[in-house]
Amino acid sequence: MPDPNDSLSELYHSTPSPRSPAALDETILKMAADHAPRANRRTPGWLPLASAASVVGLVSLLFHQMAGLPTSTDRAHAPTVIVQESQLQPAASRVDGFTGKVRAAPQAEPIEVSGALQSHNDEAMEPEAIITAADAVSKTLSAAPSAAQYQQPSIESQEPSARKIEERSAMEAVAPALKQQRAESRSHESLRATGELDMDATPADDAVNAEQWLENIKDLLTNGDKERAIIQLQHFRAAYPEHPIPDELTRLTDAPN
Amino acid sequence: MGLLHRLRGDESLMELYAGGDVGAFNELYSRHKDRLFGFIYHSSSDRTAAEDLAQETWSAVIRQADSYRPTARFTTYLYTIARRKLIDQHRRSATRPVADADSDETPAATGSEPDTHLEVAQLRAAIKALPADQREAFVLREEGFSLTDIAAISDAGVETVKSRLRYARQTLRQQFSGGHRQHA
């Protein structure tokens, strides 16, 4: 601030300061009014993006309503489903690493869960119904065996098609027998070639041509070793049940010893 | 609306004007027009030039309202524009002589006492004869700006402003005292 004791300041302020001329004021105020920025020129940069997002959301909502799909409001009941999935998923993942024998999960449990879900899909559920369904899922999950006890069938139960489940179960039921037959055939092949049972026979040995095996059996028969030929033929049938067997060999086994 | 505008700060008014509120600018202009004009008048060569510079300054404020951001006080913003206009004006009129103290543009025409009238006229003439930096610092100081504000407007340090003020007062005292003695 100017020093009041300063004689220069005193003299400077001894007369009124010059005032802005009225004509100048009028000119400037008119200029300000004429060139006033438009009110909407300072819209935030995110406003157009937000508007676009709102339009997209509205269209999506209308689409869902017209198509009869569950809206986000309907999906508010989704915790019932999410709880089920989130609790089942770790069990399934742990089963993947479990290579022991398979034990089926109780069949009634998925039915209870799906029942809860079905009631959800039918109508907008009342809060009490949601709680009941959630309780049902929770009880089902808690009553189920631990994750380590869940075996392959429980995973398979999540497959969408029951037919696939049946097919896979049938294949898995046959698989051990097939494996055993293959192993025996490999062993017998090894026995045929080396005279000793090769316990290290690998699946690569399956490449042995069935026809070649049959030729070898014929050779045994030709050489008079009928007993070994019969044994080999039995093993061959076990290993290749669908492979046609020449009549001469068929008669060999059918003929009384 | 006028009352609400009066309750607002300069920076807020400027933002309102940037949003299209002309009344906000009217309030802002009424607050600063006379002091700004005084600063320009004391720093420029004559009254006509002062009016032109004042108009240019406010015109710049109006044009740049869109890009105004309240990062500093509005007064600093306003006087910085005015100062640059003055510098441009001084460069344009570098060859023209500074208006002398006997000019009929002296605004102290209302002075009742002839001696005071003459002393004020002599002081005005002495101020106009100061180097631009010293004149600027002196006038802003007499118009009520703090050293910090002057430093911000002048784009200089506070110590530099103090130095300019000291030299300005020293020169004015010498010239005014001589003139005053001559007049006496």
Side-chain angles (χ1 to χ4, degrees):
Chain A
M1 293 295 292
D3 182 0
N5 297 322
D6 189 337
S7 58
L8 288 173
S9 293
E10 203 173 324
L11 186 59
Y12 183 93
H13 294 283
S14 63
T15 57
S17 294
R19 299 178 66 85
S20 176
L24 177 63
D25 296 347
E26 188 178 349
T27 302
I28 291 172
L29 291 176
K30 186 176 185 304
M31 187 188 306
D34 292 344
H35 297 87
R38 280 186 289 179
N40 60 351
R41 292 177 70 174
R42 278 209 165 184
T43 53
W46 50 264
L47 192 57
L49 195 61
S51 301
S54 300
V55 170
V56 170
L58 184 61
V59 169
S60 175
L61 182 64
L62 290 173
F63 172 77
H64 276 79
Q65 287 180 344
M66 292 175 67
L69 296 173
T71 62
S72 59
T73 307
D74 297 332
R75 283 195 292 269
H77 304 296
T80 303
V81 179
I82 291 170
V83 168
Q84 180 211 16
E85 292 177 348
S86 63
Q87 294 190 15
L88 282 177
Q89 190 60 36
S93 61
R94 274 176 280 177
V95 169
D96 282 342
F98 187 74
T99 57
K101 289 188 176 180
V102 173
R103 190 161 42 163
Q107 290 297 317
E109 292 165 4
I111 295 173
E112 288 184 33
V113 173
S114 62
L117 296 176
Q118 183 62 41
S119 63
H120 159 256
N121 289 332
D122 288 344
E123 290 291 335
M125 297 175 69
E126 294 295 327
E128 294 79 5
I130 297 172
I131 293 170
T132 303
D135 286 344
V137 173
S138 178
K139 286 176 182 177
T140 299
L141 292 171
S142 61
S146 63
Q149 291 175 318
Y150 269 104
Q151 305 302 338
Q152 196 68 19
S154 67
I155 301 174
E156 297 299 327
S157 66
Q158 297 180 22
E159 293 283 342
S161 169
R163 184 178 176 183
K164 285 187 176 179
I165 297 173
E166 293 174 359
E167 288 176 353
R168 187 174 294 186
S169 298
M171 289 177 67
E172 287 173 354
V174 173
L178 289 174
K179 285 182 179 178
Q180 187 178 358
Q181 289 173 356
R182 294 286 175 87
E184 287 179 357
S185 68
R186 286 194 297 272
S187 299
H188 295 148
E189 184 68 16
S190 177
L191 178 65
R192 180 194 60 77
T194 64
E196 294 180 358
L197 190 62
D198 184 5
M199 301 304 293
D200 296 329
T202 64
D205 296 334
D206 288 342
V208 174
N209 194 309
E211 292 296 333
Q212 183 62 43
W213 193 352
L214 290 175
E215 290 299 322
N216 292 338
I217 295 173
K218 288 177 184 176
D219 290 345
L220 289 173
L221 191 61
T222 304
N223 295 333
D225 195 350
K226 186 177 179 182
E227 185 178 356
R228 287 189 64 190
I230 293 171
I231 294 173
Q232 284 291 313
L233 187 59
Q234 289 173 345
H235 291 325
F236 180 86
R237 280 178 167 163
Y240 298 99
E242 296 177 356
H243 195 280
I245 298 174
D247 291 341
E248 57 183 298
L249 295 180
T250 303
R251 285 194 298 271
L252 177 65
T253 54
D254 291 344
N257 290 331
Chain B
M1 199 63 173
L3 178 62
L4 292 176
H5 284 151
R6 279 194 285 276
L7 294 174
R8 288 181 176 273
D10 293 343
E11 294 77 22
S12 176
L13 289 172
M14 191 61 187
E15 288 191 303
L16 284 175
Y17 177 61
D21 187 346
V22 179
F25 181 86
N26 292 345
E27 172 64 23
L28 201 60
Y29 182 74
S30 67
R31 286 183 192 179
H32 298 283
K33 61 172 186 166
D34 289 334
R35 192 162 69 148
L36 179 72
F37 185 78
F39 165 68
I40 294 174
Y41 173 81
H42 290 302
S43 304
S44 60
S45 57
D46 54 54
R47 188 176 183 88
T48 304
E51 290 181 8
D52 290 344
L53 287 175
Q55 182 170 337
E56 287 180 23
T57 300
W58 285 109
S59 177
V61 171
I62 292 167
R63 284 197 312 270
Q64 297 172 13
D66 258 353
S67 57
Y68 172 77
R69 296 291 180 274
T71 53
R73 292 175 58 190
F74 174 75
T75 49
T76 304
Y77 173 74
L78 178 65
Y79 281 78
T80 299
I81 294 174
R83 175 178 177 268
R84 295 191 181 281
K85 298 293 180 185
L86 279 166
I87 291 172
D88 292 343
Q89 192 259 355
H90 284 302
R91 284 174 181 163
R92 286 197 300 266
S93 60
T95 56
R96 286 192 291 175
V98 176
D100 59 21
D102 296 332
S103 169
D104 56 359
E105 295 166 348
T106 302
T110 55
S112 56
E113 298 179 10
D115 285 350
T116 304
H117 180 185
L118 188 58
E119 287 175 358
V120 169
Q122 288 175 337
L123 179 61
R124 305 288 191 215
I127 291 170
K128 290 179 189 298
L130 286 172
D133 290 343
Q134 294 178 25
R135 179 176 61 240
E136 178 182 87
F138 179 81
V139 172
L140 286 172
R141 186 65 170 163
E142 293 302 324
E143 293 294 335
F145 284 91
S146 68
L147 293 174
T148 306
D149 289 339
I150 298 171
I153 293 169
S154 307
D155 194 21
V158 173
E159 292 303 319
T160 302
V161 171
K162 285 182 182 177
S163 176
R164 289 172 182 174
L165 277 172
R166 187 169 58 251
Y167 281 117
R169 284 187 172 130
Q170 184 179 344
T171 302
L172 288 173
R173 282 196 189 96
Q174 288 174 355
Q175 291 185 2
F176 180 73
S177 297
H180 185 69
R181 277 194 301 272
Q182 286 175 1
H183 176 71

